[in-house]
Amino acid sequence: MAAKQIILVTGPARSGKSEWAETLAINSGKSVIYIATAQIDPNDGEWQARIAQHQQRRPNNWIVQHVPIDLAASLEQLPANSCCLVDSLGTWLANLLDLDDHIWQQTEQEFFASVAATPGDVIFVAEEVGWGVVPAYPLGRSFRDRLGMLVRRLGAIANPVYLVTGGYVLNLTALGSPLPAEIRSASDIL
């Protein structure tokens, strides 16, 4: 039996990262469990349209779970011979952005423990938000920094890691070199 795979697909908005992750899930040949982290807001028509776009692309035989908050518990319950697609980590983090730093660190530790414990393959979709200017407000900086660190830590254990941008998919694991362990595990990023 092959070892489980942790895959990270990252990139900017509207880059095709979700579509690439969906392609990987289909090509896995396994039963797919799709974890949608978005909270449904019936008063936001534009958000509803984005969700509908994702729903229309999904094959009918995929099992869909709506998990806006308790991602760790859902990952721990995955069957061994499955492929789980989590879309997306940025949306999950946004749902938890009001947590103070201490509670967020505990939540992040629980998340990584569940990633280690899950017996199935998991494909994570994550947004790249730190390539622009530093947000002028504290909540924006907190989101950017927490997501950047989450993606960095996940990238250190994922294989492969893909960057989707400009209409291309780049396998960063094949093209790049990982940061040295002492840098990879740093807990504070400026």
Side-chain angles (χ1 to χ4, degrees), residues 97 129 133-147:
L97 199 51
V129 296
V133 297
V134 176
Y137 52 97
L139 195 59
R141 289 191 298 272
S142 179
F143 176 78
R144 184 198 66 158
D145 291 348
R146 285 180 180 181
L147 185 58

Side-chain angles (χ1 to χ4, degrees), residues 85-97:
L85 195 167
V86 177
D87 197 353
S88 74
L89 290 178
T91 303
W92 173 67
L93 173 61
N95 297 336
L96 300 169
L97 199 51

Side-chain angles (χ1 to χ4, degrees), residues 10-183:
T10 187
R14 301 294 195 187
S15 64
K17 60 190 173 294
S18 292
E19 291 94 328
W20 178 246
E22 292 160 5
T23 299
L24 294 171
I26 289 168
N27 291 341
S28 75
K30 296 181 177 185
S31 168
V32 177
I33 299 166
Y34 183 98
I35 294 182
T37 61
Q39 296 196 51
I40 298 171
D41 180 357
N43 298 318
D44 186 341
E46 190 269 335
W47 186 245
Q48 290 300 103
R50 286 175 183 259
I51 291 172
Q53 202 175 37
H54 283 252
Q55 291 170 334
Q56 291 167 0
R57 285 196 314 256
R58 285 184 217 137
N60 291 331
N61 63 335
W62 285 10
I63 298 166
V64 178
Q65 298 178 5
H66 297 277
V67 184
I69 303 293
D70 201 1
L71 185 54
S74 295
L75 292 174
E76 289 173 1
Q77 296 173 10
L78 294 174
N81 195 25
S82 66
C83 178
C84 176
L85 195 167
V86 177
D87 197 353
S88 74
L89 290 178
T91 303
W92 173 67
L93 173 61
N95 297 336
L96 300 169
L97 199 51
D98 60 343
L99 298 178
D100 69 36
D101 287 338
H102 178 71
I103 301 298
W104 167 249
Q105 288 171 359
Q106 288 177 329
T107 302
E108 193 178 32
Q109 286 176 332
E110 291 169 6
F111 166 76
F112 280 104
S114 71
V115 171
T118 187
D121 295 349
V122 186
I123 303 167
F124 291 98
V125 176
E127 299 80 359
E128 287 294 338
V129 296
W131 290 11
V133 297
V134 176
Y137 52 97
L139 195 59
R141 289 191 298 272
S142 179
F143 176 78
R144 184 198 66 158
D145 291 348
R146 285 180 180 181
L147 185 58
M149 184 54 76
L150 182 70
V151 170
R152 179 178 178 169
R153 287 185 64 198
L154 188 58
I157 61 172
N159 188 1
V161 175
Y162 294 102
L163 173 65
V164 182
T165 188
Y168 286 85
V169 176
L170 300 171
N171 183 334
L172 297 179
T173 311
L175 296 172
S177 298
L179 290 171
E182 63 275 5
I183 296 173

